[in-house]
């Protein structure tokens, strides 16, 4: 089992859209896949039309008063399950803070699943937090979507510094560009600059309205727009990512 999280310090950069599409593509490739929606806003759960089984599932999982199996729901799709976001995850930092080994709780919880799934995709809220520490520790890989703007360079550097300061291996972090608009010179310049380091996948996701339509169709691109350019881009990027994961 490989745990993959989609993370950025910033919000609105395409974390959830990417998580929802990658997880679907992994399942379609035949891998047993789980999405854990750890963003209390619950956007990934919304896209998969998934409601939590219990109001306080996240809290109970951390407090070990609930089995992980009881929190997992099936999606409408083969090979793809989800742990939906629930209200208690809003307070997850406080709950984690009470726990022993508070930075390794998520890793401990996920251990129970190691024979059930090939991939676990975690959709994260933006911020450095105890939850983020848990996500970094539990993840084999952290994938960071980056919009190619000047401010994103700073966010990218801050995340790298955070990894270094907290002893999280740099190899765990890989990035990809989202919402790229090649008509804008700033996007071209930022991409050229950031491609110089080896932290970015070659394929990227342009700014395309099809991605936004996931919110209307409540489904991943592969389901409602399989031959769209947006889906072609996500498929190419997933192919590149998968190659690294299966290496
Ligand atoms: N490649 C894209 N092109 C155009 N709009 C996008 C793209 N990726 C995401 N969006 C839109 O941008 C907004 C934020 O995306 P989302 O995936 O929810 O980001 P995050 O999870 O980082 O907050 C959403 O309205 C989404 O539909
Ligand atoms: Mg999100």
């Amino acid at each position: 089992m490989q745990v993959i999280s989609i993370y950025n310090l910033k919000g609105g950069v395409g974390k959830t859209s990417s998580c929802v599409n990658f997880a679907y593509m992994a399942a379609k490739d035949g891998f047993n896949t789980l999405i854990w929606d750890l963003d209390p806003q619950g956007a990934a759960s919304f896209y998969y039309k998934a409601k939590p089984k219990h109001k306080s599932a996240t809290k109970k999982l951390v407090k070990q008063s609930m089995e992980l199996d009881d929190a997992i729901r099936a999606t409408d799709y083969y090979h793809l399950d989800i742990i939906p976001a629930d209200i208690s995850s809003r307070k997850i930092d406080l709950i984690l803070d009470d726990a022993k080994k508070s930075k390794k709780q998520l890793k401990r919880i996920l251990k129970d699943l190691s024979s059930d799934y090939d991939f676990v995709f975690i959709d994260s809220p933006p911020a450095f937090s105890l939850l983020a520490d848990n996500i970094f520790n539990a993840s084999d890989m952290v994938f960071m979507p980056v919009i190619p703007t000047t401010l994103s360079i700073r966010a990218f550097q801050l995340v790298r510094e955070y990894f270094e300061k907290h002893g999280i291996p740099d190899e765990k972090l890989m990035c990809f560009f989202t919402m790229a608009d090649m008509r804008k010179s700033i996007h071209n310049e930022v991409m050229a600059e950031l491609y110089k380091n080896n932290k970015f996948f070659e394929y990227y996701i342009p700014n395309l309205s099809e991605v936004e339509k996931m919110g209307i169709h409540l489904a991943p691109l592969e389901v409602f727009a399989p031959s769209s350019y947006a889906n072609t881009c996500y498929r190419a990027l997933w192919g590149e990512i998968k190659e690294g994961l299966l290496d």
Side-chain angles (χ1 to χ4, degrees), residues 104-147:
K104 299 255 164 90
Q105 287 300 308
L106 210 57
K107 197 180 169 88
R108 172 189 62 76
I109 296 168
L110 282 167
K111 236 186 220 155
D112 294 346
L113 294 178
S114 53
S115 54
D116 298 337
Y117 293 100
D118 301 303
F119 290 121
V120 177
F121 285 87
I122 296 176
D123 190 22
S124 332
F128 291 132
S129 60
L130 192 48
L131 175 60
D133 291 341
N134 269 271
I135 290 172
F136 299 152
N137 280 321
S139 298
D140 296 289
M141 285 302 293
V142 177
F143 294 129
M144 183 157 82
V146 172
I147 304 176

Side-chain angles (χ1 to χ4, degrees), residues 6 8 10-19 39 41 43 47 123-124 126 145 147 177-180 205-215 230 234:
I6 314 295
N8 192 316
K10 285 165 71 72
V13 297
K15 292 185 293 298
T16 301
S17 310
S18 301
C19 190
D39 185 348
Q41 293 192 31
Y47 285 134
D123 190 22
S124 332
I147 304 176
F177 291 110
T178 48
M179 296 188 225
I205 310 299
N207 194 322
L208 294 163
S209 61
E210 286 297 334
V211 181
E212 285 176 86
K213 289 187 193 149
M214 289 169 63
Y234 262 113

Side-chain angles (χ1 to χ4, degrees), residues 59-111:
K59 179 175 170 183
K60 286 183 177 157
L61 287 173
V62 177
K63 290 198 174 288
Q64 304 190 44
S65 61
M66 184 176 171
E67 295 289 323
L68 196 51
D69 275 353
D70 293 331
I72 296 175
R73 310 213 67 150
T75 66
D76 293 344
Y77 311 109
Y78 203 51
H79 287 315
L80 186 58
D81 293 338
I82 186 165
I83 303 178
D86 66 81
I87 294 170
S88 72
S89 56
R90 282 177 209 275
K91 293 188 190 142
I92 194 164
D93 262 45
L94 292 174
I95 303 162
L96 286 166
D97 204 24
D98 277 348
K100 275 190 210 142
K101 296 193 176 156
S102 63
K103 291 186 176 182
K104 299 255 164 90
Q105 287 300 308
L106 210 57
K107 197 180 169 88
R108 172 189 62 76
I109 296 168
L110 282 167
K111 236 186 220 155

